[in-house]
Amino acid sequence: MKYSGVLFLMLSTLVFGATHQVNMIGVAYEPDTLNITEGDSVLWVNTSALTHTTTSGVSGVPDGYWDSGLMPPNDSFTFHFDSSGVFPYYCTPHWTLGMIGLITVAPVGIDEIEIAVPNGISSLAAYPNPFTQTVKIDYSVNSAGPLKIAVYNSAGHFVMSLMDLETVAGNYTSTWDGIDAVGIPAAPGVYFIRAYFKGAYLQDKVILLK
Ligand SMILES: [Cu+2]
């Protein structure tokens, strides 16, 4: 009984999350970049006198996550983000004028869970370290389950996803070529490579040299 309040709190966080608003002003999204957490929603509001869309994808090519369709002035559209990752989007009539946006969704509990669970990932090693071009990441998984590996910068911000799929037990290697999720070379510095598995993660610190 004493756990029911905690459980309800967890469920309501998962179900409702937070809602972040993006205004459509002129031919721009404001803000045009947004960092949110898994389970959050984004509400786009057309506060301009033009008709816009919010359409997930790049350079006028939709990727199917969401598409508001044409939004006349004062119209709004909401999308719920139930998985982490990087989601570029654009306005169908105005992307050629630079009306594009980016939403980065961090996994839940990123700063809260730091211990690998038993029967999870038993090792994670990145090499060479420091590196200049490409770093390899060797890791071992002891059981089947969903595995995510991603790169974060020294401020804890998401940089790039390296793997996101269902694995079976075994030894694996991933590589990171120093490019971020939108294709821009990452600045030299310290990065963390994290492998998420069954609610916990292991990480290795790597240094990218110029
Ligand atoms: Cu537009």
Side-chain angles (χ1 to χ4, degrees), residues 26-27 29 50-53 91-95 99:
V27 287
Y29 300 105
L50 301 170
T51 293
H52 298 294
T53 77
C91 172
T92 301
H94 303 118
W95 67 270
M99 190 166 176

Short mmCIF file of all heavy atoms in Angstrom, two decimals, residues 26-27 29 50-53 91-95 99, ligand 1:
data_model
loop_
_atom_site.label_atom_id
_atom_site.label_comp_id
_atom_site.label_asym_id
_atom_site.label_seq_id
_atom_site.Cartn_x
_atom_site.Cartn_y
_atom_site.Cartn_z
N GLY A 26 6.43 34.10 -38.12
CA GLY A 26 6.97 34.43 -39.45
C GLY A 26 7.20 33.13 -40.21
O GLY A 26 6.27 32.34 -40.38
N VAL A 27 8.46 32.90 -40.64
CA VAL A 27 8.79 31.61 -41.24
C VAL A 27 9.86 30.93 -40.39
O VAL A 27 10.89 30.48 -40.88
CB VAL A 27 9.23 31.74 -42.72
CG1 VAL A 27 8.04 32.05 -43.61
CG2 VAL A 27 10.31 32.80 -42.89
N TYR A 29 10.49 28.49 -36.47
CA TYR A 29 10.02 27.87 -35.23
C TYR A 29 10.76 28.54 -34.07
O TYR A 29 11.97 28.75 -34.14
CB TYR A 29 10.34 26.37 -35.21
CG TYR A 29 9.71 25.58 -36.33
CD1 TYR A 29 10.47 25.14 -37.40
CD2 TYR A 29 8.35 25.28 -36.30
CE1 TYR A 29 9.89 24.40 -38.43
CE2 TYR A 29 7.77 24.55 -37.33
CZ TYR A 29 8.54 24.11 -38.38
OH TYR A 29 7.97 23.39 -39.39
N LEU A 50 0.65 33.09 -41.50
CA LEU A 50 0.85 32.18 -42.63
C LEU A 50 0.39 30.78 -42.28
O LEU A 50 0.15 30.47 -41.11
CB LEU A 50 2.34 32.13 -43.01
CG LEU A 50 2.99 33.46 -43.39
CD1 LEU A 50 4.50 33.30 -43.49
CD2 LEU A 50 2.42 33.97 -44.72
N THR A 51 0.27 29.93 -43.28
CA THR A 51 -0.05 28.51 -43.06
C THR A 51 1.26 27.72 -43.05
O THR A 51 2.09 27.87 -43.94
CB THR A 51 -0.98 28.00 -44.17
OG1 THR A 51 -2.25 28.65 -44.04
CG2 THR A 51 -1.19 26.50 -44.06
N HIS A 52 1.45 26.90 -42.01
CA HIS A 52 2.68 26.13 -41.85
C HIS A 52 2.36 24.65 -41.63
O HIS A 52 1.19 24.27 -41.46
CB HIS A 52 3.46 26.63 -40.64
CG HIS A 52 3.92 28.05 -40.74
ND1 HIS A 52 4.84 28.47 -41.65
CD2 HIS A 52 3.57 29.15 -40.00
CE1 HIS A 52 5.05 29.78 -41.49
NE2 HIS A 52 4.29 30.20 -40.51
N THR A 53 3.43 23.85 -41.58
CA THR A 53 3.31 22.49 -41.07
C THR A 53 4.46 22.24 -40.11
O THR A 53 5.45 22.96 -40.12
CB THR A 53 3.41 21.40 -42.18
OG1 THR A 53 4.79 21.23 -42.57
CG2 THR A 53 2.56 21.74 -43.39
N CYS A 91 8.99 22.75 -42.12
CA CYS A 91 7.69 23.22 -42.60
C CYS A 91 7.63 22.94 -44.11
O CYS A 91 8.50 23.39 -44.86
CB CYS A 91 7.54 24.71 -42.33
SG CYS A 91 6.06 25.40 -43.10
N THR A 92 6.63 22.21 -44.54
CA THR A 92 6.54 21.82 -45.95
C THR A 92 6.56 23.03 -46.90
O THR A 92 7.33 23.04 -47.86
CB THR A 92 5.28 20.96 -46.19
OG1 THR A 92 5.37 19.81 -45.35
CG2 THR A 92 5.17 20.52 -47.64
N PRO A 93 5.75 24.10 -46.66
CA PRO A 93 5.82 25.24 -47.57
C PRO A 93 7.09 26.09 -47.42
O PRO A 93 7.46 26.79 -48.36
CB PRO A 93 4.59 26.09 -47.20
CG PRO A 93 3.72 25.21 -46.37
CD PRO A 93 4.64 24.23 -45.71
N HIS A 94 7.77 26.04 -46.27
CA HIS A 94 8.81 27.04 -46.00
C HIS A 94 10.18 26.48 -45.64
O HIS A 94 11.05 27.24 -45.23
CB HIS A 94 8.35 27.98 -44.87
CG HIS A 94 7.06 28.68 -45.16
ND1 HIS A 94 5.93 28.51 -44.39
CD2 HIS A 94 6.72 29.52 -46.17
CE1 HIS A 94 4.94 29.22 -44.91
NE2 HIS A 94 5.38 29.84 -45.98
N TRP A 95 10.40 25.16 -45.78
CA TRP A 95 11.72 24.65 -45.37
C TRP A 95 12.83 25.22 -46.23
O TRP A 95 13.95 25.42 -45.76
CB TRP A 95 11.77 23.12 -45.35
CG TRP A 95 11.67 22.46 -46.69
CD1 TRP A 95 10.52 22.07 -47.32
CD2 TRP A 95 12.74 22.10 -47.56
NE1 TRP A 95 10.82 21.49 -48.53
CE2 TRP A 95 12.18 21.50 -48.70
CE3 TRP A 95 14.13 22.22 -47.49
CZ2 TRP A 95 12.95 21.02 -49.76
CZ3 TRP A 95 14.91 21.74 -48.54
CH2 TRP A 95 14.31 21.15 -49.67
N MET A 99 12.91 27.25 -42.64
CA MET A 99 12.00 26.93 -41.53
C MET A 99 12.15 25.46 -41.17
O MET A 99 11.41 24.60 -41.66
CB MET A 99 10.55 27.26 -41.89
CG MET A 99 9.63 27.18 -40.68
SD MET A 99 8.03 27.96 -40.98
CE MET A 99 7.21 27.57 -39.42
CU CU B 1 5.86 27.42 -42.83
#
